[in-house]
Amino acid sequence: MMGGMAAGSKPLRSDAARNRDKLLVAATQVLAERGLDAPLEHIARRAGVSIGTLYNHFPTREALLGAVLPQRMAALDEITAAALAHPDPWAGFAGFLEGLFTLQAEDHSLNEALTQSFSLATDVSQACHRGFRDVERIIERARTAGRLRADFAPTDLVTLIWAMSQVIRESMETAPDTWRRFLAFFLDGLRAEAAHPLPQGHRSADR
Amino acid sequence: MMGGMAAGSKPLRSDAARNRDKLLVAATQVLAERGLDAPLEHIARRAGVSIGTLYNHFPTREALLGAVLPQRMAALDEITAAALAHPDPWAGFAGFLEGLFTLQAEDHSLNEALTQSFSLATDVSQACHRGFRDVERIIERARTAGRLRADFAPTDLVTLIWAMSQVIRESMETAPDTWRRFLAFFLDGLRAEAAHPLPQGHRSADR
DNA sequence: CACAAACTTGAGGCAACCCTCAGATTCGTA
DNA sequence: TACGAATCTGAGGGTTGCCTCAAGTTTGTG
């Protein structure tokens, strides 16, 4: 499952190891600032290294993302753990969402990564899928407690993440609290007592 | 008001007028398919015209958008009118949202235009602002009827449009009905009886 | 110290897209 | 029909970003 990171690799020469670290630091910063398709040249420059060296260590952009993002996503683990530990299932669920989106708002790369997680490097999707188990438990717990509406499915959370990613992106500069207000509206629709029947199945394949 | 199109301009030569029309048709199609920053070369090619001709008629991308988008947005007028005419204020409000997002889902350029409307060509923002008056009335009507929660402001609709634009974009290929489900959840949070106090921090949503 | 292997460098070839402009073409009128 | 003005064309110069590779530099071991 977890293997041991990049363990078992060949030992790097000292200068190479140093450069690799500088690249990871720079990449973390630049990606957080400019998103997942920040120019690789920027990252190399910020690391004080040539573009060729970047390609030496990370032959593709995905390889680089795979080295940076899972680490960033580790922050999510604390949040899911706290949510599960919360005595009130609904408060745990709501707190989880708040923590998740706070992270997204702080890190542009995380925001995009969560949105695109299924088309990304395997390392990244793995990190996503691993965490998803806990998320399902958070949802299930709030639902069986009768607080979260029964027809809310884990995949609906993916949709919410999509929605929030855009709200965060658009409002970040001018009114960075916007997402909290939006989330409050949405949460009010997720309470069990607020539930109205959802639109029926989509049998209109043609129009 | 709309009298004769680009009224006040000098009369175009016949071939020029024909090319201009072909460009508008092509642009409408290509923009709907590929979004607001579709390559201008694609549009010229689809119109069967050279890139130079495109620049002849529309010296900037914004000029082209300004000629295409307001027309597309006219479809919104019907929707707002229908919403205001609906006997049930809540159903009018909900129907308006459904119509709006249906349009967004059908036209990629409209989707992006609505989310970016404030950084776009004046023609486009004007079209937006004009329509916004009616939208405010739709909201106000549902609110004073006691159906829409009292703390929902017109600017919250902008946020919802941001959110939806991403949901539509991400799900369009694989599950194009996703946005309806999401909207249903959200609407349940907008009903007056579902309202819980919003987070403090920024009091009301006066922009 | 010497030297091979490991590593770095950055110019340079690609590709996509933007926009321009001198010369060729077409229109419409006299 | 002729001809000037209006219009069209598309090669070409500029930009940004991707990725490669031959030549130079550093490391660490014998």
Side-chain angles (χ1 to χ4, degrees):
Chain A
M1 273 333 190
M2 23 217 27
M5 321 258 17
S9 281
K10 54 279 162 171
L12 285 178
R13 224 173 66 177
S14 65
D15 57 343
R18 217 175 318 128
N19 282 338
R20 189 172 201 278
D21 284 347
K22 286 194 288 185
L23 278 167
L24 287 176
V25 170
T28 304
Q29 291 173 1
V30 173
L31 292 175
E33 290 165 15
R34 317 184 47 125
L36 292 187
D37 30 65
L40 297 180
E41 262 106 351
H42 287 202
I43 295 175
R45 201 175 313 134
R46 170 135 5 161
V49 132
S50 96
I51 180 65
T53 298
L54 187 152
Y55 277 96
N56 264 351
H57 289 284
F58 307 101
T60 68
R61 170 177 236 106
E62 298 242 309
L64 180 58
L65 296 182
V68 166
L69 291 180
Q71 198 176 352
R72 294 263 62 203
M73 294 213 209
L76 273 176
D77 292 344
E78 296 174 32
I79 292 175
T80 55
L84 283 171
H86 200 292
D88 177 352
W90 173 262
F93 173 71
F96 164 72
L97 292 180
E98 186 173 326
L100 167 63
F101 297 129
T102 300
L103 278 184
Q104 281 193 48
E106 283 167 356
D107 186 334
H108 210 304
S109 71
L110 203 54
N111 189 7
E112 295 183 10
L114 287 170
T115 296
Q116 307 170 11
S117 60
F118 296 102
S119 49
L120 280 178
T122 45
D123 287 351
V124 181
S125 357
Q126 272 182 4
C128 273
H129 283 72
R130 184 166 46 78
F132 211 69
R133 286 314 188 113
D134 290 329
V135 172
E136 281 173 350
R137 288 175 54 209
I138 295 172
I139 292 173
E140 188 54 31
R141 198 167 75 109
R143 205 164 40 184
T144 59
R147 307 290 304 281
L148 175 61
R149 58 192 293 167
D151 51 7
F152 186 84
T155 57
D156 290 319
L157 177 61
V158 175
T159 311
L160 179 59
I161 289 174
W162 287 339
M164 277 302 195
S165 76
Q166 181 73 6
V167 172
I168 288 169
R169 209 171 313 159
E170 294 286 340
S171 64
M172 187 170 278
E173 310 282 302
T174 56
D177 279 343
T178 304
W179 69 262
R180 293 181 186 276
R181 188 175 163 92
F182 186 81
L183 176 60
F185 285 136
F186 196 78
L187 276 177
D188 281 349
L190 293 190
R191 294 187 157 87
E193 65 270 22
H196 287 61
L198 291 176
Q200 276 320 307
H202 10 281
R203 53 191 62 268
S204 52
D206 48 20
R207 30 177 313 118
Chain B
M1 300 318 122
M2 15 211 30
M5 324 257 19
S9 281
K10 52 276 167 172
L12 286 178
R13 223 172 66 178
S14 65
D15 55 344
R18 217 176 317 132
N19 282 339
R20 188 172 203 279
D21 285 347
K22 286 195 286 184
L23 278 167
L24 287 176
V25 170
T28 303
Q29 291 173 2
V30 173
L31 292 175
E33 291 164 17
R34 316 181 53 123
L36 291 187
D37 29 62
L40 297 180
E41 261 106 351
H42 287 204
I43 295 175
R45 203 174 312 134
R46 170 129 11 156
V49 131
S50 97
I51 180 66
T53 297
L54 187 152
Y55 277 96
N56 263 353
H57 288 284
F58 307 101
T60 68
R61 171 179 235 103
E62 298 241 309
L64 180 57
L65 296 182
V68 167
L69 291 181
Q71 199 176 354
R72 294 264 60 203
M73 295 210 207
L76 273 176
D77 292 344
E78 296 175 31
I79 292 175
T80 55
L84 283 171
H86 200 293
D88 177 352
W90 173 262
F93 173 71
F96 164 71
L97 292 180
E98 186 173 326
L100 167 64
F101 298 129
T102 300
L103 277 185
Q104 280 193 50
E106 283 167 355
D107 186 333
H108 210 303
S109 71
L110 203 54
N111 189 9
E112 295 182 11
L114 286 171
T115 78
Q116 305 171 13
S117 59
F118 296 102
S119 48
L120 282 177
T122 45
D123 287 351
V124 181
S125 349
Q126 273 183 2
C128 272
H129 283 72
R130 184 167 45 79
F132 211 70
R133 284 315 187 110
D134 290 328
V135 171
E136 282 173 348
R137 289 175 53 210
I138 295 172
I139 291 172
E140 189 54 31
R141 197 168 75 111
R143 205 164 42 184
T144 58
R147 306 291 305 279
L148 175 61
R149 57 190 295 167
D151 51 8
F152 185 84
T155 57
D156 290 319
L157 177 61
V158 175
T159 311
L160 179 59
I161 288 174
W162 288 338
M164 276 303 195
S165 77
Q166 181 75 3
V167 171
I168 288 169
R169 209 171 315 162
E170 294 286 339
S171 64
M172 186 171 279
E173 309 281 300
T174 56
D177 279 343
T178 304
W179 70 262
R180 292 181 186 277
R181 189 175 163 91
F182 187 82
L183 176 60
F185 285 136
F186 196 79
L187 276 177
D188 281 350
L190 292 190
R191 293 186 158 88
E193 66 270 22
H196 287 60
L198 291 176
Q200 289 311 319
H202 51 93
R203 294 188 62 67
S204 65
D206 80 320
R207 41 91 219 268

